[in-house]
Amino acid sequence: MMHRPLIDADRLWTRLMALAEIGATPAGGVNRQALSDGEISAWRRVIGWAGEAGLTPSTDAAGNLFLTLAGRDRAAPAVLLGSHLDSQPTGGKFDGAVGVIAALEAAASLAEQGDRPARDVIVVSWMNEEGCRFAPGMMGSEAFTGERDIAAIRTVRDADGVSVGQALDRLHGAFPDLPRRPLGGAIEAYLELHIEQGPVLEAAACMIGVVSGIQGKKTFQVVIEGAEGHAGTLAQQERRDALAAFARMAAALHAEIGMIDADIKFTIGRVAVVPNAPSVVPSRVSFSIDLRHPQNAVLDAAAARITALCHENVAPCAVTVTPLVDAPSNVFDPHLRARIAEASRELGHSAIAILSAAGHDARHLAKICKAAMIFIPCRDGASHVEHEWAEPDHVAAGAAVLAKVTRELALAGA
């Protein structure tokens, strides 16, 4: 007889909405950036809920939060599931948070049913997935998987000059009694539930997305150096106008890179001008580039052209192009994907295979263990916005699939 996962859908939704009150914005969204007071408050709330289910909290040097349901064999590789609690400055209630709260519900329901898992089941909230306060993002999962050195991560500063190290020390100082675990560890499998952040599932009237993989992503920081001058006295031909150079670069980049094919995603999302004064020729412009494509060969070729186009359009200024993120496209574990699809069918939920256009911590976990993702629809495909929304029955369906697969992995011991 099939053992259906028992989740409390009302509790799941109530907790998700309660979490959204922390960092709530007037427009109905969430501003709960990494390592902020809001995230500290979110930790307190989630740790309290975990304690009600008998899960044990801990953290690590990277500021990841772990909530552990102890298994019979504590030395066996664990089943890890979760997402992140940080948000964009004008983010929504669901991005990241739904994955953490659904994971907590899956582990809590397993504990409440009295079945002690064969191995530890660990709920995780990764530090700084979003990368809006400290760039680039996914610091916690990259530190956990050994892709980035924690010492280097600690030196990164936000716009106010606060370093990750200072913010991490403040976070840990707020939880002086929280046990500290080493970075990394033996993981049997990793599962992450997330809203799609795109329109495919909604358009298909489909409840569950079985994520095949994540498209590749590269990011760059570009700095143009020119020279200040008086806007009223410096002749045009004598100017080293950094903003004019940026305008040429941006036009060339959008015209060539942005038109490679229908799958390319090219974005200049942040621009800073110095001195940013109405009557002064700009001396310095720095800007970000976000480049994505599902085919690694196309992504690599486009990245090479970005550097070339910046240099071709900078004169008479100078330019430095610094690569930040280099994350190739990946494919998730086929066995876990099959389990997710089968669980969806057994629970009566429609499911389709889908490629993730956005990046997630699961990309990094897939390099060290079996990993997979579950998508649920979001209204109009909108995310990273305050009106981001997922229906309660979609949230419950995704959590039920997550709970079922988690139970199979945890009780079977493999």
Side-chain angles (χ1 to χ4, degrees), residues 268-306:
I268 296 174
R270 177 181 292 171
V271 181
V273 181
V274 176
N276 204 28
S279 297
V280 181
V281 175
S283 61
R284 189 175 192 268
V285 174
S286 60
F287 65 99
S288 66
I289 292 176
D290 184 304
L291 177 70
R292 307 187 195 213
H293 197 279
Q295 297 179 29
N296 290 324
V298 176
L299 189 69
D300 292 342
R305 283 300 294 156
I306 282 175

Side-chain angles (χ1 to χ4, degrees), residues 230-299:
H230 193 296
T233 62
L234 187 62
Q236 291 293 133
Q237 64 270 24
E238 295 177 3
R239 296 185 179 194
R240 295 175 56 212
D241 186 333
L243 188 59
F246 166 73
R248 292 191 298 273
M249 277 183 208
L253 288 164
H254 278 286
E256 181 174 331
I257 306 300
M259 300 299 291
I260 286 175
D261 63 24
D263 291 326
I264 199 75
K265 302 292 188 299
F266 173 82
T267 305
I268 296 174
R270 177 181 292 171
V271 181
V273 181
V274 176
N276 204 28
S279 297
V280 181
V281 175
S283 61
R284 189 175 192 268
V285 174
S286 60
F287 65 99
S288 66
I289 292 176
D290 184 304
L291 177 70
R292 307 187 195 213
H293 197 279
Q295 297 179 29
N296 290 324
V298 176
L299 189 69

Side-chain angles (χ1 to χ4, degrees), residues 311-335:
H311 284 280
E312 290 168 12
N313 290 277
V314 72
C317 300
V319 65
T320 303
V321 182
T322 304
L324 297 178
V325 171
D326 184 1
S329 294
N330 77 292
V331 176
F332 286 127
D333 182 75
H335 180 61

Side-chain angles (χ1 to χ4, degrees), residues 38-382:
E39 190 167 33
I40 290 173
S41 296
W43 270 37
R44 293 192 191 282
R45 186 73 60 88
V46 171
I47 288 172
W49 290 332
E52 294 174 11
L55 276 64
T56 303
S58 60
T59 187
D60 62 13
N64 298 311
L65 174 63
F66 303 93
L67 309 164
T68 301
L69 175 62
R72 296 191 300 274
D73 183 356
R74 302 302 309 278
V79 174
L80 191 64
L81 51 153
S83 192
H84 59 97
L85 291 172
D86 65 315
S87 80
Q88 291 287 329
T90 53
K93 298 179 175 70
F94 300 90
D95 178 5
V98 68
V100 176
I101 301 304
L104 178 59
E105 181 61 34
S109 66
L110 186 61
E112 289 164 356
Q113 291 171 42
D115 295 321
R116 188 176 184 187
R119 58 183 73 238
D120 288 359
V121 175
I122 305 176
V123 177
V124 60
S125 173
W126 301 111
M127 187 272 285
N128 187 37
E129 192 273 351
E130 294 291 359
C132 52
R133 181 184 179 191
F134 301 105
M138 303 191 197
M139 288 179 172
S141 57
E142 287 194 319
F144 182 89
T145 57
E147 293 182 67
R148 294 184 66 189
D149 180 66
I150 186 62
I153 288 174
R154 287 180 61 89
T155 65
V156 176
R157 295 184 179 275
D158 66 10
D160 297 320
V162 177
S163 71
V164 172
Q166 291 170 322
L168 276 174
D169 291 345
R170 187 168 178 271
L171 171 78
H172 288 141
F175 300 90
D177 298 326
L178 200 61
R180 189 80 62 90
R181 53 180 284 157
L183 280 171
I187 305 301
E188 174 66 19
Y190 174 71
L191 298 171
E192 183 169 353
L193 171 71
H194 209 281
I195 56 171
E196 180 197 343
Q197 300 180 290
V200 175
L201 291 176
E202 185 180 55
C206 189
M207 192 78 82
I208 301 295
V210 183
V211 184
S212 57
I214 300 175
Q215 72 172 343
K217 174 183 178 180
K218 294 179 185 285
T219 67
F220 303 84
Q221 182 69 22
V222 184
V223 178
I224 304 168
E225 298 287 355
E228 289 184 19
H230 193 296
T233 62
L234 187 62
Q236 291 293 133
Q237 64 270 24
E238 295 177 3
R239 296 185 179 194
R240 295 175 56 212
D241 186 333
L243 188 59
F246 166 73
R248 292 191 298 273
M249 277 183 208
L253 288 164
H254 278 286
E256 181 174 331
I257 306 300
M259 300 299 291
I260 286 175
D261 63 24
D263 291 326
I264 199 75
K265 302 292 188 299
F266 173 82
T267 305
I268 296 174
R270 177 181 292 171
V271 181
V273 181
V274 176
N276 204 28
S279 297
V280 181
V281 175
S283 61
R284 189 175 192 268
V285 174
S286 60
F287 65 99
S288 66
I289 292 176
D290 184 304
L291 177 70
R292 307 187 195 213
H293 197 279
Q295 297 179 29
N296 290 324
V298 176
L299 189 69
D300 292 342
R305 283 300 294 156
I306 282 175
T307 300
L309 286 168
C310 287
H311 284 280
E312 290 168 12
N313 290 277
V314 72
C317 300
V319 65
T320 303
V321 182
T322 304
L324 297 178
V325 171
D326 184 1
S329 294
N330 77 292
V331 176
F332 286 127
D333 182 75
H335 180 61
L336 285 181
R337 286 156 50 193
R339 282 193 171 193
I340 291 168
E342 181 62 23
S344 301
R345 286 191 292 269
E346 290 180 355
L347 293 172
H349 303 312
S350 56
I352 59 173
I354 185 171
L355 176 71
S356 176
H360 301 282
D361 293 300
R363 180 204 300 275
H364 304 295
L365 273 295
K367 298 173 183 176
I368 66 166
C369 67
K370 295 179 290 187
M373 292 191 71
I374 301 164
F375 275 176
I376 58 173
C378 55
R379 188 168 59 198
D380 299 326

